[in-house]
Amino acid sequence: RRGMEGSGDTSRAVADWRLAVWTLCSVLLPVLITAWCSFQRSRRQLLIRDIFRKSKHDWHYTDLFGQPSYCCVCTQHILRGAFCSCCGLRVSERCLKKADQRFLCKEIMMRGTAGAPSSMPHHWIRGNVPLCSCCMVCKQQCGTQPKLCDYRCVWCQYTVHDECMVDCLKTEDCTLGEFKDLIIPPYYLSTINQMRKEKRTSYEKVVPYCRKHWMPVMVLANTRSGNNMGEILLGEFKMLLNPVQVFDLSKIAPAKALQLCTWLPCNAVRVLVCGGDGTVGWVLDAIDEMKIKGQERYIPQVAILPLGTGNDLSNTLGWGAGYAGEVPVEQILRNVMEADGIKLDRWKVQVTNKGYYNLRKPKVFTMNNYFSVGPDALMALNFHAHREKTPSLFSSRIINKAVYFFYGTKDCLVQECKDLNKKVELELDGERIELPNLEGIIVLNIGYWGGGCRLWEGMGDEPYPLARHDDGLLEVVGVHGSFHCAQIQVKLANPVRLGQAHTVRLILKSSKMPMQVDGEPWAQGPCTVTITHKTHALMLYHSGEQTDDDDASSLSE
């Protein structure tokens, strides 16, 4: 009996041990598999990042949920992989290294060429051609089959069927396509580079410098403006142009990017600024630096693709109130080609603090749009303070405008800027202006204010002097408060027109008041603000974006 009990205890112990082992295995095995998979994934990611870093391609991640595409190496449908934003090459993850070694990207400058080349052959990439593209040989639609098929030239964007591709097309000179007048060809840069080394400056005979209608464009994009539209636009412009023409302002300053203008024909370059009014001001400041350096003959004309919140300068110049991808980049480049050159007044705003025995250096700003003191500056100040604390919450234009609306509603109830007329003195061209009961004063250089409102015109039912952005005159208006601003924006009220002037002087006698220049706000104590003309900026005006309001008031522009 004891032997039977002992054997029973042993079998129970063995069973318990087996249960413990299987339990441990059932717990540890998934953990080990997960850890191994995580290690392999991180190792693979490190290898991919290393390829991205060393490659001449501008690789970005893509997957099944992005644009449907096929690998240029194995021809299979891509589940996880990468694409080059410059040449459009698309590969699966496992073929990335092989594709990086096999396929060349767009060359920004031709190498190893003798003499001064004036042309280059097509650079064909197979597969993933744009929808609705037509074959340059048979004129039929390309890319209609659900597989890797047909060819596209990364420079002229022409497409060819597999069966239409012949040897002569592989060696044929590329015309650079529709945007040949905007593209800086690689052979041009290599020639100019060689001439600079030899200290020769007679570029007039270099192709396409000598071509009459060549107007190379530079794209300066602020990727921090808008809903990540800057990142998308950078890739799309690199695809259509020479990548050397496209700059990310989060990585390179405008002053450095604009030095490319010195390699290009005088007074022919056009710059497309993708960003808000603040980004445009940043670029215009860099252009002013070029004037100081004696590079005035290389000054470019500036067009705007509005990605910011207000975009009043863009609206004034006909480029629209905001861009959200509704217009193809090809049409944007056509608009830049067709735009007309105009001038924009730029103003110097000098703020001299009172007291401190005048030892403090005056603050100096450059104004393109408007200066204000009062409720709209207070809204901008509150918005700016909260955006500095949590910038991730302010990545949407709609959210930004909703926050402005909230602070405007709050000021209607609190009225923090009341009795402004008792706190300030205003002089226009040296003449003292008697102020009525006001909460805000706004000095305008352009037609639009506050995200699309034509402030100087108001309801349009009263006679008023014409307002322009190139006449050396400022328009000065007063508002009774945030509610009055809202009424003006929906054309239910007129502003208090205080006059026009070449020079504006505003004296803040007491207390601290919110002020702003072109959307950059601050709280200001007693001071003297003097606004005088500084210079002109060469801008591009697009007449195709006018609204009904613009047509009705085109005389005032």
Side-chain angles (χ1 to χ4, degrees):
R1 186 181 296 174
R2 289 180 181 174
M4 291 177 64
E5 289 178 356
S7 62
D9 292 341
T10 303
S11 61
R12 279 196 299 271
V14 170
D16 290 343
W17 273 105
R18 284 178 181 172
L19 180 62
V21 169
W22 281 111
T23 303
L24 186 63
C25 288
S26 65
V27 172
L28 286 180
L29 190 60
V31 172
L32 291 173
I33 292 173
T34 303
W36 182 81
C37 291
S38 178
F39 170 74
Q40 290 296 325
R41 185 166 55 250
S42 61
R43 183 169 170 269
R44 187 169 62 247
Q45 290 295 330
L46 284 173
L47 290 173
I48 292 172
R49 286 175 193 163
D50 189 55
I51 294 172
F52 279 20
R53 183 172 53 85
K54 295 178 180 178
S55 177
K56 292 184 178 179
H57 289 276
D58 187 18
W59 293 116
H60 296 272
Y61 289 105
T62 187
D63 54 32
L64 178 66
F65 301 102
Q67 180 182 342
S69 52
Y70 298 88
C71 177
C72 290
V73 178
C74 66
T75 73
Q76 299 301 308
H77 191 62
I78 295 176
L79 300 180
R80 287 175 59 87
F83 71 96
C84 175
S85 63
C86 294
C87 66
L89 191 69
R90 291 177 178 268
V91 294
S92 61
E93 197 173 73
R94 64 178 178 273
C95 300
L96 180 59
K97 187 174 182 180
K98 191 182 294 184
D100 194 59
Q101 295 169 348
R102 183 186 298 180
F103 299 104
L104 293 175
C105 191
K106 272 185 171 180
E107 284 192 314
I108 62 174
M109 187 182 296
M110 292 182 70
R111 295 171 296 173
T113 54
S118 58
S119 63
M120 63 182 185
H122 289 289
H123 181 165
W124 297 107
I125 293 288
R126 187 160 184 254
N128 305 305
V129 300
L131 297 174
C132 302
S133 56
C134 293
C135 176
M136 64 181 291
V137 177
C138 68
K139 308 304 179 185
Q140 298 299 311
Q141 188 173 349
C142 287
T144 55
Q145 302 179 55
K147 63 178 183 178
L148 189 77
C149 62
D150 304 337
Y151 290 85
R152 176 183 60 86
C153 176
V154 300
W155 287 104
C156 63
Q157 310 304 320
Y158 289 161
T159 54
V160 182
H161 288 123
D162 287 331
E163 54 271 21
C164 296
M165 175 61 76
V166 291
D167 290 338
C168 63
L169 283 178
K170 295 180 179 179
T171 56
E172 182 183 77
D173 285 344
C174 180
T175 63
L176 299 180
E178 179 185 359
F179 302 113
K180 63 182 179 182
D181 289 333
L182 301 181
I183 295 173
I184 304 175
Y187 53 78
Y188 171 82
L189 292 175
S190 60
T191 304
I192 298 298
N193 186 46
Q194 186 61 35
M195 293 179 70
R196 285 198 162 202
K197 288 179 180 177
E198 298 170 2
K199 297 185 178 179
R200 290 186 291 150
T201 56
S202 54
Y203 304 157
E204 289 77 10
K205 296 181 180 180
V206 180
V207 178
Y209 193 108
C210 57
R211 203 165 64 224
K212 184 178 179 182
H213 300 292
W214 191 43
M215 53 175 78
V217 67
M218 294 170 57
V219 178
L220 277 60
N222 187 352
T223 54
R224 294 172 185 170
S225 298
N227 304 334
N228 297 319
M229 284 300 302
E231 287 280 359
I232 298 169
L233 288 166
L234 279 173
E236 292 184 348
F237 282 119
K238 284 179 182 178
M239 194 83 74
L240 295 173
L241 306 171
N242 189 331
V244 79
Q245 300 172 244
V246 184
F247 298 90
D248 183 352
L249 293 183
S250 66
K251 297 178 180 178
I252 184 170
K256 191 171 181 180
L258 288 168
Q259 288 306 301
L260 180 61
C261 295
T262 61
W263 288 52
L264 302 169
C266 301
N267 305 315
V269 181
R270 298 192 165 198
V271 169
L272 176 63
V273 180
C274 306
D277 289 345
T279 305
V280 177
W282 189 19
V283 173
L284 294 181
D285 288 341
I287 291 174
D288 286 345
E289 290 179 21
M290 292 178 68
K291 297 176 184 177
I292 296 172
K293 293 177 182 177
Q295 298 174 340
E296 193 154 357
R297 60 191 180 130
Y298 299 111
I299 296 299
Q301 295 175 301
V302 179
I304 305 171
L305 186 61
L307 301 182
T309 302
N311 303 312
D312 291 306
L313 180 56
S314 169
N315 224 350
T316 299
L317 300 180
W319 296 100
Y323 179 77
E326 66 277 6
V327 180
V329 290
E330 292 87 353
Q331 185 58 47
I332 293 169
L333 291 176
R334 294 185 196 107
N335 294 342
V336 173
M337 279 196 291
E338 297 165 1
D340 301 315
I342 61 167
K343 288 184 178 181
L344 172 73
D345 289 324
R346 303 193 77 211
W347 301 82
K348 175 184 175 183
V349 180
Q350 181 170 302
V351 182
T352 306
N353 292 304
K354 287 188 175 182
Y356 301 102
Y357 304 101
N358 290 325
L359 296 178
R360 281 192 175 185
K361 190 177 180 181
K363 290 186 284 188
V364 178
F365 304 89
T366 300
M367 184 184 85
N368 302 310
N369 299 1
Y370 37 72
F371 163 86
S372 71
V373 52
D376 68 321
L378 178 62
M379 285 187 280
L381 184 62
N382 288 329
F383 173 83
H384 185 75
H386 280 77
R387 186 170 62 176
E388 288 293 312
K389 291 179 183 177
T390 53
S392 59
L393 297 178
F394 295 86
S395 59
S396 166
R397 189 180 293 131
I398 295 175
I399 292 175
N400 293 350
K401 290 189 175 183
V403 173
Y404 266 106
F405 176 76
F406 168 77
Y407 284 119
T409 306
K410 177 185 173 185
D411 187 63
C412 288
L413 303 173
V414 179
Q415 292 184 312
E416 294 183 37
C417 302
K418 63 181 180 180
D419 298 329
L420 178 69
N421 54 296
K422 298 177 182 178
K423 302 172 184 176
V424 302
E425 293 179 3
L426 178 66
E427 295 178 6
L428 302 182
D429 289 336
E431 182 180 344
R432 174 94 177 264
I433 303 297
E434 290 296 326
L435 296 175
N437 185 25
L438 297 173
E439 284 191 27
I441 295 174
I442 304 166
V443 182
L444 299 162
N445 179 46
I446 60 176
Y448 284 92
W449 163 87
C453 170
R454 301 190 74 95
L455 182 61
W456 178 251
E457 296 166 18
M459 297 169 62
D461 60 342
E462 297 177 353
Y464 50 85
L466 295 180
R468 296 180 60 89
H469 46 257
D470 59 353
D471 59 356
L473 280 173
L474 293 166
E475 287 70 48
V476 185
V477 302
V479 293
H480 298 302
S482 296
F483 186 68
H484 186 207
C485 290
Q487 287 179 307
I488 297 171
Q489 287 190 319
V490 295
K491 294 185 178 294
L492 292 177
N494 285 313
V496 180
R497 298 186 185 92
L498 300 174
Q500 292 177 298
H502 298 90
T503 302
V504 176
R505 191 164 177 259
L506 187 143
I507 302 169
L508 180 58
K509 297 182 289 185
S510 61
S511 75
K512 183 174 281 191
M513 294 293 291
M515 295 185 179
Q516 68 150 334
V517 174
D518 291 352
E520 295 298 323
W522 73 97
Q524 178 64 49
C527 68
T528 300
V529 179
T530 307
I531 306 176
T532 54
H533 193 268
K534 179 182 179 182
T535 185
H536 282 105
L538 301 178
M539 308 298 292
L540 289 169
Y541 181 83
H542 175 51
S543 58
E545 284 289 327
Q546 283 192 334
T547 62
D548 294 339
D549 288 342
D550 296 327
D551 294 333
S553 56
S554 58
L555 288 176
S556 67
E557 289 297 317

